[in-house]
């Protein structure tokens, strides 16, 4: 049986995760492991399974709050270039899970392909975007998926095709431990038209969201189509602060942080918003961000 000591050359212990999250708060990972190949991912995952060590995968940290006490067990970071490659073949685009969504979008658009441009401005990696079916009012990532290569907690790899997957509002049926790769089926489009659409969406996002600040995007899901941001605003919480965390004046479903903020500040503000919205409107807000 392997042990985590076998992976010492790719492991950092008690490694702070704050710098890798967009909120820039939170504690360390007990073991931060950066595999160099898919075989190494499988070996680490298998080792965790056999030794009962919890294992999670970090994307680009744009939809994540890490608690101040940090994370027990292994955090895998697919940072090697091999996990971030994007290749185009006809109207199909294949991207590694570690590729940034923005990179995937620009490569696709540059190749004259349309379908992903509506995701412009959404942060995150391809893996993270697929798991939570990232998107907005103009579409989501799941709409273009042809197949996804995943790895189970026991290190087994397989491909799930479109008809074995379902995507809903900020939800996907992908429940395996690791997303490795995804192939998207796009359509040929006019580059200038696609760029125009992208520019329009980008301007809209910049006008309505606090994009220049440290944030994790929307904190809550929209309950039954109602805007969570407008509920938090109507509860009178725009601009509300706890420590270094503030509910954005621009969009009340965003919490922005200063360099002094702690994860506890953000959690306390989330609880305050949830409590007030429940009390005033009888609506239970569900988190969109992940909390570790
Ligand atoms: N609104 C307010 N106050 C606010 C925020 C919004 O009254 O503080 C109102 C707006 O005026 C608008 C309505 O609520 O009439 C909807 O707002 P917006 O268009 O900003 O969309 P949203 O529903 O708040 C969703 C996604 C965003 C995505 C945008 C644009 C969720 C939780 N949010 O926001 O996604 O960027 O649409 O497509 O689904 C994210 O998931 O992290 C995210 C930012």
């Amino acid at each position: 049986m392997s042990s985590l000591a076998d992976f010492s050359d790719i492991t950092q212990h008690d490694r702070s995760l704050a710098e890798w999250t967009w909120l820039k708060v939170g504690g360390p990972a007990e073991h931060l492991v950066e595999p160099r190949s898919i075989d190494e991912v499988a070996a680490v995952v298998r080792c965790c399974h056999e030794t009962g060590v919890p294992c999670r995968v970090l994307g680009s940290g744009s939809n994540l709050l890490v608690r101040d006490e940090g994370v027990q067990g292994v955090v895998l970071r697919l940072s090697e270039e091999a996990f971030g490659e994007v290749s185009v073949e006809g109207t199909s685009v294949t991207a590694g899970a570690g590729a940034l969504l923005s990179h995937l979008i620009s490569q696709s658009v540059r190749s004259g392909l349309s379908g992903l441009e509506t995701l412009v401005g959404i942060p995150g990696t391809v893996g993270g975007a697929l798991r939570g079916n990232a998107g907005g009012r103009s579409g989501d990532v799941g709409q273009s998926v042809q197949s996804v290569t995943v790895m189970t907690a026991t290190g087994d790899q397989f491909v799930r095709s479109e008809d074995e997957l379902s995507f809903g509002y900020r939800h996907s049926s992908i429940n395996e431990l690791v997303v490795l790769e995804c192939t998207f089926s796009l359509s040929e489009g006019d580059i200038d038209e696609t760029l125009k659409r992208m520019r329009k969406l980008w301007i809209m996002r910049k006008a309505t969201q606090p994009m220049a600040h440290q944030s994790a995007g929307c904190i809550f899901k929209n309950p039954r189509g109602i805007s969570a941001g407008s509920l938090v605003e109507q509860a009178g919480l725009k601009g509300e602060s706890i420590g270094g965390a503030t509910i954005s004046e621009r969009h009340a479903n965003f919490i922005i942080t200063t360099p002094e903020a702690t994860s506890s500040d953000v959690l306390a503000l989330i609880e305050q918003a949830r409590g007030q919205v429940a009390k005033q409107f009888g609506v239970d807000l569900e988190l969109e961000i992940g909390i570790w």
Side-chain angles (χ1 to χ4, degrees):
M1 193 162 79
S2 66
S3 96
L4 280 178
D6 299 340
F7 305 102
S8 58
D9 49 342
I10 52 168
T11 302
Q12 297 173 63
H13 303 284
D14 283 325
R15 174 65 162 86
S16 168
L17 295 176
E19 72 176 85
W20 287 324
T21 71
W22 279 44
L23 284 164
K24 300 269 178 285
V25 297
E30 188 180 0
H31 313 288
L32 189 278
V33 186
E34 295 180 277
R36 292 162 294 204
S37 64
I38 290 180
D39 285 347
E40 232 166 32
V41 177
V44 174
V45 162
R46 227 170 267 136
C47 173
C48 287
H49 181 71
E50 286 166 6
T51 54
V53 172
C55 181
R56 307 157 193 266
V57 185
L58 178 70
S60 68
S62 54
N63 208 32
L64 174 68
L65 175 66
V66 177
R67 290 179 196 274
D68 291 324
E69 51 271 38
V71 180
Q72 290 294 306
V74 163
V75 171
L76 281 176
R77 187 165 175 260
L78 305 182
S79 51
E80 284 289 316
E81 255 173 55
F83 298 112
E85 278 165 13
V86 175
S87 63
V88 180
E89 212 184 309
T91 53
S92 289
V93 180
T94 298
L100 288 176
L101 199 54
S102 54
H103 178 49
L104 166 66
I105 297 169
S106 61
Q107 286 284 97
S108 309
V109 171
R110 220 177 293 147
S111 309
L113 297 175
S114 154
L116 293 171
E117 69 278 6
T118 56
L119 305 177
V120 64
I122 296 180
T125 58
V126 168
L130 284 167
R131 199 168 277 284
N133 192 21
R137 289 180 185 273
S138 352
D140 56 49
V141 74
Q143 291 170 345
S144 308
V145 169
Q146 188 176 311
S147 64
V148 181
T149 307
V150 293
M151 186 182 284
T152 63
T154 48
D156 298 310
Q157 212 186 119
F158 64 97
V159 178
R160 288 177 73 173
S161 59
E162 189 190 355
D163 52 358
E164 298 167 290
L165 292 162
S166 67
F167 293 95
Y169 171 64
R170 298 300 128 83
H171 170 81
S172 82
S173 60
I174 301 171
N175 52 13
E176 290 77 18
L177 179 64
V178 193
V179 174
L180 291 171
E181 191 179 270
C182 180
T183 299
F184 298 90
S185 171
L186 305 179
S187 47
E188 279 171 22
D190 180 88
I191 297 188
D192 289 338
E193 284 298 314
T194 311
L195 282 173
K196 224 188 264 170
R197 248 196 324 273
M198 269 173 83
R199 235 171 265 136
K200 234 170 146 181
L201 282 165
W202 176 253
I203 290 167
M204 257 167 62
R205 266 184 79 98
K206 262 182 83 171
T208 54
Q209 300 180 2
M211 296 182 70
H213 295 82
Q214 287 176 194
S215 87
C218 285
I219 296 286
F220 302 109
K221 293 185 185 179
N222 284 342
R224 301 182 302 275
I226 313 168
S227 163
S230 79
L231 289 175
V232 177
E233 175 172 356
Q234 286 169 53
L237 292 170
K238 260 192 174 175
E240 185 75 12
S241 286
I242 295 181
T246 303
I247 293 183
S248 166
E249 290 279 4
R250 182 164 291 188
H251 194 302
N253 200 3
F254 282 66
I255 289 180
I256 55 180
T257 52
T258 62
E260 295 73 41
T262 64
S263 189
S264 309
D265 295 340
V266 180
L267 282 168
L269 206 47
I270 288 173
E271 281 321 308
Q272 188 178 345
R274 230 183 196 165
Q276 281 301 320
V277 167
K279 193 170 142 198
Q280 297 187 36
F281 309 110
V283 176
D284 278 327
L285 290 177
E286 193 189 326
L287 282 176
E288 181 187 303
I289 59 164
I291 298 189
W292 285 6

